[in-house]
Amino acid sequence: MKSIALLFAAAAATGLSVPPGTVSAQGAEEMLRTTGVQARVTLTRDSAGIVHIEAQNEHDLFFAQGYSAARDRLFQLELWRRQATGTMAEALGPRWVARDRAARLMRYRGNMKAELAHYHPRGETIIQAFVDGINAWVARVQADPSLMPPDLAALGITPGRWTPAVVVSRHNALASNASDEANLARAVRAIGGEAVTRRRNFEPATVRLSLDSLVARLVGTATDAQLLTDYSGSRNAPSFRSNELSPLWRRAGGADSTVEREADRWESNNWVISGQRTASGRPIVANDPHRAITVPSLRYLVHLKAPGWDVIGGGEPGIPGVAIGHNPHAAWGLTIFGIDSEDLYVYELDAANASYRYRGAFVAFETVRDRVRVKGGATQTVALQYTRHGPVLYVDSTRHMAVALRAGWLEVGGAPYLASLRLDQARTWSEARAALSYARMPALNWIWADTSGTIGWQTAGAAPVRPSWDGLMPVPGDGRFEWRGLLPIPELPSETNPARGFVGTANAFNVAPTYARFDALARTWSDPFRHDRLQQVLDTTRQATVASSGALQHDAVSLPARALVPLLSGLELTSPVAKAARDTLLAWDHTLTAESRAAAIYVAWERKLATQTADLALPPAVRPILRSVPLSRTVQWLTRPDSLLGEQPMEARNRILSRAFSEALQDLRTRFGDDMSTWRYGDARLHHSRITHPLHALVTDSLQRVLSPGPLPRGGYGNTLLATANVDNQNHGASLRVVIEVGDWDNAIVTNSPGQSGDPRSAFYANLFPLWAANRFVPLPYSAGAVTRRAAGITVLHP
């Protein structure tokens, strides 16, 4: 009752009433006359908040998907719309102009008809129907202000109309590696290519880092902040200031909200197990894509049913179709795969900084002028510059240099996940592979299993073919470094019915050494620990079930702990507390459960080990640049000490182990006190989850409790299959989990967090958060009978 009272208080704080059906839709049926639908459409919300849409034609199906997403996620969708269109300043004022300019600079500017047709043969009409559905809900909110999400009202933002250009925006795409190129070049400039390769992981390990003199001159003078201002500004989630918020919500002395860029995170797991290894003889597909843990959730669960369509699963609320899920024939999932789809090009400019050198001549920039409307100020004209390679990110007018971005996602077909529309209707593995030949962004490991028993793995993405360089660092834009197109997706790594009976991926290097086209793949990958643990378990699996795969998604065994903890046995410790802590670790099973004392000790120690090892292994000149080293390198150097630790590596290693252990114990005493029996890894003072709303830092304590669910205890960390990040408050991890037994569709299980709705007045705002945090699932009903049995409310749209 207290939580419901707080939900009402949140609405009252903005002067809004609670609209009918948002707090509870139990047993309710709502009939709505809706302009835009051609026939009756039924939207059944189940008890978990999942919406099951049944329409009589394709147009109405996607209209209703857009309508449902907007009904549940208008705050989120409106911010995405303004990010995509560069119209934040129009709503919030002049400080957003530079960001709006960046969004417009990075916008897809190619042929829109070709773009929309790429994602589905009827892509143009499907996407138009979807945005019409969003706009129908927007129109309803404009007519009835009580429906306005209170957090959107608190910012004073009026929702606007969507267009297909918003759907195909690239601002949410996960891509690499522009944000790392200049930094790596700076490191090579400081200590040389060979020294850098010893401290970073590259796969294959044949990388030879050499730095062009023009690039060296650039990175010696320009910071990453300068080079990547527009790149980051076009992609980062918005952060707000206290003076942009309604006084009724505002916290006295509240700090600005903060965000982090997500594009470089590599955290997801998926696997498919053939029927020869399952208890039922049917394949099992499991997927838990890891992204920022946010409120509202990045993922939206939906069931789409109409003639030609019957697909259920998760995607992003601003994209039609289902990215992860199943239809009557097959199930599929995805994780990020290593393709470097971005390059930074460095140019020499003429004396007037009006043109750039290309193939021995100076070529004028293409300039587009755009107008940015500004709340409380005059409309501003902004200039957007482009080279033949792409948008200009930086100009040094003093040194007559410039940097531009070439990106595979700026080609036709670069909208993230949208090609899933083709996959949603695939019936066989051959049809699925044909559909995936259109899936360019992000670069993904796709897994598949169908009712014939076939399982498969196909990687897909926009993979530039670089004939003479590896894409790791910026290159001159003078014509010597040109892509030879994109590698056809069928030529990327794949498998069909592997003899081992499973495929499992976790963002690590997973390509056979015999593969012929490493020139089109990335060289940097996730650390191998999650992937190795997954392979260990799947290799011994014989009677897999949905329940066992669900448990594997929550596996918290730390392979780094298995390697590092035995090193403590040889240390000389004098403190009774230190000896007791060591004994606790030596008797531990290396599983990072939330209630574990040993897990608290280990993680505090591993954090100190990583810092101190990096301090010793990184030369002073490169510490501010590289800042850290991969954990796999830390484990390597501590288990097999080499000269990077000094002239006496074994003694240096032992000093690190001892000092880090002492500092870890002091850290835990500071957090918990001296009584070791009270130390728990999942304590709110150590590893927990509180999902913070974008306005969290700005609002009053009472509204924080409404908007930001938690804290709740968490196990795992960034290098376990239960990937819960390497920080105290989990900010990355499984945005969605699903396990599907092919053919037994009603046996599928799923979770999302914190809930399906983004409206804090809704019963479905945070209802899934406690289950998600406790590593539990809800059913994913598919058959008509299963949906009816779990129905909580029905909305009917009719002409």
Side-chain angles (χ1 to χ4, degrees):
M1 292 300 295
K2 183 178 179 182
S3 62
I4 295 296
L6 286 172
L7 293 174
F8 276 90
T14 58
L16 298 178
S17 62
V18 180
T22 55
V23 172
S24 177
Q26 193 72 33
E29 181 167 329
E30 181 182 31
M31 299 287 290
L32 295 175
R33 187 175 299 278
T34 307
T35 301
V37 295
Q38 300 168 0
R40 177 187 171 102
V41 186
T42 303
L43 291 77
T44 302
R45 191 187 293 276
D46 69 25
S47 56
I50 302 167
V51 179
H52 303 259
I53 301 172
E54 187 163 2
Q56 298 177 43
N57 59 72
E58 183 176 272
H59 170 273
D60 287 358
L61 179 68
F62 289 102
F63 180 100
Q65 186 184 6
Y67 185 93
S68 178
R71 179 180 62 171
D72 281 341
R73 301 290 187 86
L74 188 57
F75 172 81
Q76 182 181 41
L77 292 185
E78 177 60 14
L79 293 186
W80 284 1
R81 185 188 72 84
R82 290 188 178 274
Q83 287 176 259
T85 57
T87 52
M88 293 293 290
E90 176 183 272
L92 294 174
R95 83 174 181 94
W96 296 88
V97 170
R99 183 189 175 100
D100 284 350
R101 178 193 171 276
R104 297 172 189 222
L105 177 71
M106 307 295 279
R107 185 187 301 167
Y108 170 74
R109 293 180 176 272
N111 182 285
M112 187 58 73
K113 289 192 80 66
E115 169 75 2
L116 299 178
H118 179 90
Y119 305 107
H120 191 275
R122 297 181 300 282
E124 184 172 5
T125 57
I126 287 172
I127 293 169
Q128 186 62 58
F130 180 78
V131 301
D132 287 346
I134 293 177
N135 291 334
W137 179 259
V138 169
R140 190 175 175 201
V141 171
Q142 290 170 344
D144 182 358
S146 73
L147 298 173
M148 180 78 77
D151 36 12
L152 199 59
L155 285 167
I157 295 179
T158 301
R161 293 181 60 81
W162 277 53
T163 66
V166 180
V167 175
V168 302
S169 170
R170 277 62 162 158
H171 76 275
N172 264 358
L174 294 181
S176 65
N177 68 333
S179 58
D180 194 46
E181 285 190 13
N183 203 51
L184 182 60
R186 200 169 284 114
V188 171
R189 186 177 187 270
I191 62 173
E194 184 177 351
V196 171
T197 57
R198 291 188 69 189
R199 292 159 174 85
R200 293 280 297 268
N201 277 343
F202 298 105
E203 297 285 358
T206 54
V207 168
R208 297 291 181 266
L209 299 176
S210 59
L211 191 60
D212 180 88
S213 59
L214 181 67
V215 175
R217 184 155 59 96
L218 170 81
V219 300
T221 58
T223 66
D224 275 1
Q226 291 171 313
L227 293 178
L228 298 173
T229 295
D230 286 338
Y231 179 88
S232 300
S234 70
R235 302 167 70 80
N236 289 357
S239 60
F240 302 98
R241 293 182 179 172
S242 185
N243 63 1
E244 294 166 343
L245 197 64
S246 164
L248 292 171
W249 284 55
R250 195 180 303 160
R251 179 189 191 92
D256 294 347
S257 66
T258 59
V259 296
E260 64 172 305
R261 188 182 69 241
E262 192 189 2
D264 298 337
R265 304 303 295 250
W266 293 72
E267 300 173 357
S268 295
N269 308 312
N270 69 15
W271 57 89
V272 55
I273 307 173
S274 78
Q276 63 187 299
R277 286 179 174 261
T278 68
S280 67
R282 291 184 289 261
I284 291 175
V285 169
N287 195 189
D288 53 304
H290 303 165
R291 293 284 297 273
I293 302 301
T294 62
V295 54
S297 171
L298 174 69
R299 307 296 183 186
Y300 189 68
L301 297 167
V302 69
H303 183 181
L304 304 174
K305 187 173 183 179
W309 300 86
D310 194 358
V311 59
I312 189 170
E316 295 184 7
I319 301 172
V322 168
I324 299 164
H326 73 81
N327 62 26
H329 312 285
W332 57 89
L334 55 85
T335 67
I336 292 293
F337 177 71
I339 290 177
D340 173 5
S341 63
E342 299 175 327
D343 279 327
L344 294 181
Y345 284 88
V346 182
Y347 307 89
E348 176 190 349
L349 304 185
D350 67 3
N353 297 310
S355 58
Y356 59 96
R357 185 180 294 278
Y358 184 78
R359 298 199 188 281
F362 282 103
V363 180
F365 290 115
E366 178 188 353
T367 301
V368 175
R369 300 197 179 276
D370 209 344
R371 293 168 60 81
V372 178
R373 296 175 61 185
V374 182
K375 179 182 179 181
T379 297
Q380 296 192 27
T381 300
V382 295
L384 314 174
Q385 287 186 310
Y386 300 86
T387 71
R388 64 181 293 110
H389 299 114
V392 176
L393 304 181
Y394 172 75
V395 175
D396 184 335
S397 56
T398 301
R399 294 174 177 81
H400 308 296
M401 302 175 70
V403 177
L405 172 73
R406 184 163 191 188
W409 45 267
L410 286 173
E411 308 277 341
V412 167
Y417 305 111
L418 195 48
S420 299
L421 283 168
R422 293 179 181 267
L423 189 60
D424 290 347
Q425 294 182 297
R427 298 165 297 178
T428 64
W429 181 223
S430 61
E431 288 183 1
R433 294 191 71 195
L436 292 174
S437 68
Y438 293 87
R440 289 185 168 176
M441 285 301 296
L444 296 170
N445 292 286
W446 291 90
I447 56 168
W448 168 275
D450 59 40
T451 52
S452 76
T454 298
I455 69 171
W457 166 62
Q458 175 67 59
T459 60
V465 177
R466 301 176 179 92
S468 59
W469 81 106
D470 54 27
L472 285 168
M473 295 188 293
V475 292
D478 57 13
R480 290 178 292 153
F481 298 90
E482 296 295 332
W483 294 358
R484 290 182 182 169
L486 301 176
L487 189 69
I489 287 173
E491 295 183 28
L492 287 166
S494 66
E495 284 187 312
T496 301
N497 293 326
R500 63 182 171 278
F502 67 85
V503 176
T505 81
N507 318 122
F509 183 59
N510 60 339
V511 183
T514 55
Y515 179 64
R517 296 307 305 267
F518 281 111
D519 59 312
L521 302 188
R523 297 297 192 275
T524 56
W525 305 72
S526 173
D527 265 338
F529 304 115
R530 287 182 295 111
H531 181 264
D532 290 350
R533 174 61 180 166
L534 180 59
Q535 301 300 307
Q536 287 177 2
V537 175
L538 293 181
D539 194 47
T540 59
T541 296
R542 294 296 182 271
Q543 294 289 311
T545 63
V546 168
S548 69
S549 276
L552 184 55
Q553 289 182 333
H554 301 114
D555 181 278
V557 171
S558 168
L559 295 190
R562 283 184 174 175
L564 294 173
V565 167
L567 301 178
L568 287 169
S569 60
L571 289 185
E572 293 185 9
L573 301 175
T574 57
S575 160
V577 172
K579 290 180 179 179
R582 177 176 63 184
D583 291 345
T584 299
L585 284 187
L586 291 175
W588 175 49
D589 66 357
H590 312 114
T591 302
L592 301 176
T593 58
E595 63 274 9
S596 170
R597 180 187 315 141
I601 297 168
Y602 172 75
V603 170
W605 181 49
E606 186 193 274
R607 291 179 182 181
K608 298 295 183 182
L609 286 175
T611 299
Q612 293 181 19
T613 305
D615 286 345
L616 195 59
L618 297 178
V622 82
R623 284 178 197 165
I625 302 170
L626 293 181
R627 295 184 292 275
S628 64
V629 295
L631 182 60
S632 54
R633 285 293 199 201
T634 300
V635 172
Q636 171 192 330
W637 296 331
L638 293 178
T639 55
R640 301 188 300 278
D642 69 15
S643 60
L644 280 180
L645 300 184
E647 293 182 358
Q648 295 180 313
M650 188 66 72
E651 288 80 357
R653 187 277 304 273
N654 290 340
R655 284 194 298 272
I656 291 173
L657 296 175
S658 180
R659 185 169 64 249
F661 199 62
S662 176
E663 292 182 5
L665 296 180
Q666 183 55 51
D667 176 40
L668 293 171
R669 288 193 193 99
T670 300
R671 293 173 187 264
F672 298 108
D674 292 335
D675 184 358
M676 193 183 300
S677 68
T678 67
W679 298 359
R680 293 291 181 272
Y681 181 51
D683 193 279
R685 291 165 289 185
L686 187 51
H687 199 58
H688 63 279
S689 180
R690 183 172 196 183
I691 310 183
T692 54
H693 188 280
L695 302 181
H696 176 90
L698 309 180
V699 303
T700 63
D701 288 346
S702 60
L703 286 174
Q704 283 185 351
R705 289 192 291 273
V706 174
L707 296 177
S708 302
L712 290 176
R714 298 296 283 140
Y717 72 151
N719 288 293
T720 55
L721 289 174
L722 176 61
T724 56
N726 294 321
V727 291
D728 288 355
N729 184 19
Q730 180 184 350
N731 57 8
H732 276 70
S735 55
L736 166 75
R737 290 192 186 96
V738 64
V739 184
I740 304 163
E741 187 168 53
V742 172
D744 190 5
W745 305 121
D746 286 335
N747 193 34
I749 54 177
V750 73
T751 187
N752 191 6
S753 187
Q756 280 285 97
S757 175
D759 191 320
R761 301 166 294 179
S762 170
F764 303 109
Y765 179 72
N767 61 309
L768 298 178
F769 176 61
L771 297 173
W772 171 87
N775 302 334
R776 294 170 59 193
F777 295 88
V778 296
L780 185 63
Y782 184 66
S783 69
V787 171
T788 298
R789 286 190 294 272
R790 293 187 59 82
I794 298 173
T795 298
V796 177
L797 308 181
H798 62 93

